[in-house]
């Protein structure tokens, strides 16, 4: 039985306090785990700082080998880790397996990258080279919707670049991360990776810690602003992956029956708790009724339940606060539109909400303008596609977006006009490790994944020699 301890300086240690982690499907306690104090956070940062000089001087091949060993350890334990992830996060077991396996693949992907020095001048006058050096201690902060894959956006990239880490999962989903820490602890020198768990109370101390050089943060826009302010005192670098309100624009030339299932999945996977879920759908008036009917049919047929039960398509909301928030957005939908599927919780135990489709709603409703982050989807009618892009862009968010069309030239043109970090055409939420991912406007700063994401864990150094 795993003990869910903190990992500090290569040792598993009990927390100065403990906390219960709740299964959102049953509301029972999954396990009691360590909860770190400020003093333990300081110990973790001190360990990471002490480990940095030696780790940063290892060869990139040594660090690649460590990442591959970590990937192997994660992959070898997919069944156990996935079950634990389902119990603490709620997602169906198959999705949890995909997330854990995907994380191991992201470790392998980063192990394939390089950070070569670039010679920009080598002449009789001068030799000039651009190098990328590690930053130091990285504070990595992760939310509760994809605790493991989002960890794998950060940890392997930071380590490959030669940094050391203090990693903090979200308060409601720390268990799988702590178990992974236990599995990989002997694959790295002590202090290179430290993992602490908190009750949502150590984020500010991490952000403003004088010995942390960069914060890699994924979470809400509201917290992201606090991270940026907190990081200012020590002039830390920040990468912020924040909230989104992705628009999907569906043109009149698509087949609603063929397209609806794809949009449905883009909106409801992980019970809508996806930063890049389709969160508002703009549909051309010529196919509006047909699209609404299809989406409602899919919502009515959806199997919602405990992620450990076979056949479950959608699990519960991850925590009570989010469950209450989403019920509030359903009320906004009831007020401002017509609910044609769902519209209520399922059962009276667990944080289950039926997939909900709201039609006859438009911009100006909280359900359209804000990030619902749950299984309730507003469908908005439009007449002119260029106008739909203007409405999609009239948001502070700019994470992802999509255009659905048969006319690919028009789709490409509309997509290019959308103010978001990624725009998909005839698909949505397709994330791949080699493609940089990041948000525009209030959806974030900088990017993760790809060579660009790796570069963000480095400091440029120019060596410039006269001859
Ligand atoms: P959140 O901002 O409440 O919490 C995220 C993390 O920040 C948690 O680990 C939390 O403990 C920590 N935290 C809390 N207060 C902090 C502080 N003052 N300083 C530093 N850290 C602090 O977000 P959440 O509710 O867990 O996650 C949902 C949000 O995350 C949604 O808005 C979603 O769109 C966004 N998200 C974005 C991406 C992306 O890549 N852009 C991915 C997943 C989720």
């Amino acid at each position: 039985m795993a003990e869910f301890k903190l990992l500090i300086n290569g040792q598993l240690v009990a927390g100065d306090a403990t906390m219960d982690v709740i299964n959102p499907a049953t509301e029972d306690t999954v396990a009691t785990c360590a909860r770190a104090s400020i003093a333990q956070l300081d110990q973790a940062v001190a360990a990471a700082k002490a480990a940095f000089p030696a780790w940063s001087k290892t060869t990139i091949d040594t660090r690649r080998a460590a990442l591959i060993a970590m990937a192997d350890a994660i992959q070898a334990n997919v069944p156990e880790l996935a079950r634990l992830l389902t119990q603490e996060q709620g997602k169906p077991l198959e999705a949890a397996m995909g997330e854990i396996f995907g994380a191991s693949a992201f470790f392998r992907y980063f192990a394939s990258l390089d950070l070569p020095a670039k010679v920009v001048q080598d002449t009789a006058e001068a030799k000039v080279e651009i190098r990328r050096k590690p930053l130091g201690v990285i504070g990595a902060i992760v939310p509760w919707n994809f605790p493991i894959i989002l960890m794998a956006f950060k940890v392997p990239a930071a380590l490959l670049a030669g940094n050391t880490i203090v990693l903090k999962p979200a308060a409601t989903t720390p268990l799988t991360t702590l178990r992974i820490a236990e599995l990989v602890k002997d694959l790295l020198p002590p202090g290179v990776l430290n993992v602490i768990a908190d009750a949502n109370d150590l984020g500010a101390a991490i952000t403003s810690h004088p010995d942390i050089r960069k914060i890699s943060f994924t979470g809400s826009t509201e917290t992201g602003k606090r991270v940026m302010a907190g990081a200012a005192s020590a002039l830390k670098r920040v990468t912020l992956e924040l909230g989104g309100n992705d628009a999907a624009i569906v043109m009149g030339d698509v087949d609603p029956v063929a397209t609806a299932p794809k949009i449905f999945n883009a909106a409801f996977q992980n019970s809508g708790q996806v930063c890049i879920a389709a969160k508002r759908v703009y549909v051309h008036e010529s196919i509006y009724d047909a699209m609404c009917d299809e989406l409602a049919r899919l919502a009515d047929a959806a199997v919602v339940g405990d992620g450990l039960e076979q056949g479950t398509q959608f699990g519960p909301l991850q925590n009570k606060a989010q469950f209450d928030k989403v019920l509030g957005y359903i009320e906004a939908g009831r007020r401002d539109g017509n609910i044609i599927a769902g519209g209520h919780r399922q059962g009276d135990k667990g944080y289950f909400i039926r997939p909900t489709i709201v039609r006859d709603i438009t911009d100006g409703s909280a359900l359209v303008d804000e990030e619902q982050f749950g299984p309730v989807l507003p469908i908005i009618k439009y007449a002119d596609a260029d106008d739909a892009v203007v409405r999609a862009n009239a948001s502070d968010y700019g994470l992802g977006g999509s255009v659905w069309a048969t006319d690919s030239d028009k789709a490409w043109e509309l997509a290019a006009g959308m103010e978001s970090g990624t725009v998909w055409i005839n698909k949505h939420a397709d994330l791949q490790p080699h493609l940089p991912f990041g948000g525009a406007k209030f959806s974030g700063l900088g990017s993760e994944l790809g060579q660009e994401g790796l570069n963000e864990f480095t400091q440029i150094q120019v060596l410039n020699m006269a001859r």
Side-chain angles (χ1 to χ4, degrees):
M1 176 69 188
E3 290 183 82
F4 306 115
K5 291 183 167 175
L6 313 175
L7 176 62
I8 299 177
N9 203 21
Q11 302 292 320
L12 296 176
V13 298
D16 282 343
T18 59
M19 59 187 189
D20 288 342
V21 177
I22 304 299
N23 179 337
T26 60
E27 298 180 48
D28 295 332
T29 300
V30 183
T32 300
C33 84
R35 174 181 169 191
S37 61
I38 288 265
Q40 290 182 309
L41 165 64
D42 287 340
Q43 287 163 15
V45 177
K49 189 179 178 189
F52 177 71
W55 180 249
S56 63
K57 288 187 191 72
T58 55
T59 64
I60 196 163
D61 280 338
T62 300
R63 300 195 295 272
R64 285 193 180 114
L67 294 191
I68 288 172
M70 292 169 86
D72 289 344
I74 295 169
Q75 197 175 331
N77 291 280
V78 167
E80 179 207 327
L81 293 169
R83 204 179 154 78
L84 185 58
L85 182 58
T86 291
Q87 286 175 300
E88 67 173 335
Q89 204 284 333
K91 65 185 63 192
L93 189 57
E94 202 179 321
M97 306 243 281
E99 180 168 347
I100 306 286
F101 185 80
S104 69
F106 278 37
F107 274 74
R108 288 185 208 288
Y109 164 73
F110 280 110
S112 76
L113 295 189
D114 201 358
L115 284 165
K118 195 163 121 193
V119 178
V120 288
Q121 189 179 346
D122 193 1
T123 62
E125 288 76 41
K127 177 175 178 185
V128 185
E129 197 172 277
I130 299 175
R131 297 177 159 229
R132 288 196 170 269
K133 304 181 72 167
L135 294 164
V137 179
I138 306 295
I141 301 177
V142 180
W144 44 256
N145 59 337
F146 287 94
I148 305 306
I149 200 79
L150 294 172
M151 172 278 287
F153 281 32
K154 305 177 188 306
V155 169
L159 292 179
L160 185 76
N163 302 286
T164 58
I165 305 175
V166 175
L167 166 68
K168 191 195 82 61
T172 53
T173 54
L175 299 178
T176 315
T177 308
L178 293 174
R179 177 67 181 129
I180 289 175
E182 187 177 352
L183 290 169
V184 304
K185 75 178 170 51
D186 297 327
L187 304 175
L188 295 164
V192 169
L193 172 66
N194 304 274
V195 183
I196 59 162
D198 73 341
N200 217 8
D201 55 345
L202 292 182
I206 295 173
T207 304
S208 59
H209 201 292
D211 290 332
I212 294 181
R213 292 309 319 144
K214 172 184 167 124
I215 302 291
S216 176
F217 174 83
T218 303
S220 63
T221 296
E222 201 184 324
T223 311
K225 289 179 185 173
R226 287 205 287 274
V227 167
M228 199 165 170
S233 60
L235 215 69
K236 288 185 183 60
R237 282 158 179 69
V238 290
T239 296
L240 303 176
E241 295 287 359
L242 308 179
N245 192 12
D246 288 14
I249 299 177
V250 186
M251 288 174 60
D253 65 354
V254 304
D255 172 3
V257 177
T259 307
K262 297 177 192 165
I263 300 222
F264 185 77
N265 286 337
F268 290 97
Q269 66 145 312
N270 213 38
S271 297
Q273 302 162 114
V274 183
C275 53
I276 42 170
K279 293 186 177 133
R280 47 192 173 129
V281 183
Y282 291 83
V283 180
H284 189 261
E285 58 189 7
S286 61
I287 57 165
Y288 183 78
D289 290 341
M291 183 62 84
C292 290
D293 290 350
E294 271 309 297
L295 290 169
R297 194 181 60 72
L298 292 162
D300 285 337
V303 180
V304 175
D306 187 326
L308 290 182
E309 277 165 25
Q310 212 161 12
T312 294
Q313 252 179 304
F314 303 108
L317 277 289
Q318 199 279 317
N319 56 69
K320 177 75 164 60
Q322 191 61 25
F323 173 76
D324 290 338
K325 198 167 158 187
V326 172
L327 289 175
Y329 282 116
I330 288 179
E331 289 320 305
R334 206 182 304 285
R335 222 171 27 243
D336 302 334
N338 286 311
I339 293 178
I340 54 170
H344 51 83
R345 70 182 295 184
Q346 175 176 298
D348 52 14
K349 191 125 185 95
Y351 309 136
F352 298 103
I353 293 180
R354 288 296 310 169
T356 298
I357 304 289
V358 183
R359 60 168 289 166
D360 308 319
I361 188 164
T362 193
D363 316 78
S365 169
L367 177 57
V368 178
D369 296 351
E370 298 173 16
E371 182 185 37
Q372 70 275 48
F373 214 64
V376 47
L377 185 67
I379 318 295
I380 304 136
K381 190 190 284 187
Y382 76 82
D384 174 70
D386 293 304
D387 178 52
V389 172
V390 171
R391 291 159 71 183
N393 288 342
S395 168
D396 285 335
Y397 291 115
L399 194 55
S402 59
V403 178
W404 301 75
T406 303
D407 178 348
S408 51
D409 289 342
K410 182 66 182 168
W412 193 264
E413 179 200 321
L414 293 174
M418 288 178 79
E419 295 168 358
S420 52
T422 306
V423 189
W424 295 277
I425 297 169
N426 293 334
K427 57 182 177 178
H428 198 114
D430 174 24
L431 266 192
Q432 299 193 36
H434 63 288
L435 299 177
F437 171 66
K441 303 195 280 189
F442 282 26
S443 289
L445 265 187
S447 49
E448 294 191 293
L449 304 181
Q451 185 73 39
E452 292 83 353
L454 174 61
N455 289 350
E456 292 206 12
F457 285 102
T458 65
Q459 163 69 50
I460 283 180
Q461 182 187 52
V462 177
L463 289 183
N464 188 341
M465 178 170 71
R467 280 191 164 134

